[in-house]
Amino acid sequence: MTEETGPWLVVGLGNPGREYAGNRHNVGFLVADLLAGRLGDRFGRHKRAVAEVAEGRLGLGGPKLVLVKPFTYMNLSGGPVAGLAQFHKVPPGQVIAVHDELDIAYGQVRVKCGGGEGGHNGLRSMSKSLGTKDYVRVRFGIGRPPGRQDPADYVLSDFGAAERKELDFLVDRAADVVESVVIRGVEPTQNLYHGA
């Protein structure tokens, strides 16, 4: 990819506020924070969107990333994302949503372009506001809730002690996947990471 393709909008999905910080639903924020550190930037409030934003380039003269953490709640994430995509002139194909995924086992990170939202309110809001489902999703597996626990309660609960032992490694892996999508594209990234 060359600089001429324009910036990429990388959206970490989550809920604002300290009480949600360790929730499974907030893993997108964790990945976005790590990517901001890699770019050497810190998140700050955006003047025109209800979101925090960090920016930088992947490597020397590499593609520009605009990292976004919407500061609406999850089910209203699409508004700030669409506004920032318009502001930075980013087409939907260069928008990447990083989110928790119930239908993937914990410890797996998957990437796809387009498709359904699987009941994920953040994705549903993004699709509605962007007017398309054709954006990239980096799906961080959290697995299904144990027993009869309500999925809504499960995603808003913190990672368990055993999960936390692997969490830093998995967040790092998800950040690698995001960078790979930007540099290599979706299909080469699937080939590289889905077998692992």
Side-chain angles (χ1 to χ4, degrees):
M1 297 270 173
T2 61
E3 193 181 320
E4 287 75 48
T5 61
W8 286 73
L9 204 68
V10 179
V11 181
L13 288 174
N15 285 310
R18 190 174 294 170
E19 68 271 32
Y20 298 106
N23 290 179
R24 292 176 174 90
H25 221 23
N26 269 42
V27 75
F29 277 15
L30 298 178
V31 176
D33 286 337
L34 180 63
L35 284 166
R38 289 184 182 183
L39 296 178
D41 198 13
R42 289 184 179 177
F43 277 96
R45 290 303 290 254
H46 194 272
K47 293 175 191 155
R48 298 186 183 181
V50 185
E52 286 195 339
V53 174
E55 298 182 22
R57 290 196 179 277
L58 275 183
L60 198 60
K64 181 180 178 181
L65 299 188
V66 178
L67 306 175
V68 180
K69 293 194 296 186
F71 263 47
T72 54
Y73 286 93
M74 182 71 83
N75 60 347
L76 299 173
S77 300
V81 173
L84 287 164
Q86 190 173 22
F87 180 76
H88 289 281
K89 298 178 173 61
V90 179
Q94 286 181 212
V95 174
I96 301 173
V98 184
H99 65 92
D100 58 304
E101 177 60 68
L102 285 163
D103 293 327
I104 297 175
Y106 184 74
Q108 296 184 351
V109 179
R110 296 289 181 260
V111 61
K112 72 174 186 174
C113 187
E117 291 96 3
H120 196 290
N121 289 332
L123 294 178
R124 189 178 292 134
S125 178
M126 279 185 59
S127 297
K128 184 177 178 185
S129 295
L130 290 169
T132 182
K133 296 181 181 185
D134 294 333
Y135 52 90
V136 181
R137 298 98 184 276
V138 171
R139 307 156 75 206
F140 190 108
I142 61 169
R144 301 299 292 177
R148 295 183 176 190
Q149 186 179 9
D150 183 347
D153 293 335
Y154 178 69
V155 299
L156 292 175
S157 63
D158 289 355
F159 287 100
E163 292 171 323
R164 282 198 300 272
K165 289 178 183 174
E166 285 186 276
L167 186 59
D168 287 348
F169 167 76
L170 296 172
V171 167
D172 194 66
R173 183 179 180 84
D176 289 346
V177 169
V178 170
E179 291 185 359
S180 178
V181 168
V182 172
I183 293 164
R184 299 181 181 92
V186 170
E187 197 172 327
T189 298
Q190 290 171 332
N191 294 337
L192 193 60
Y193 285 96
H194 286 201

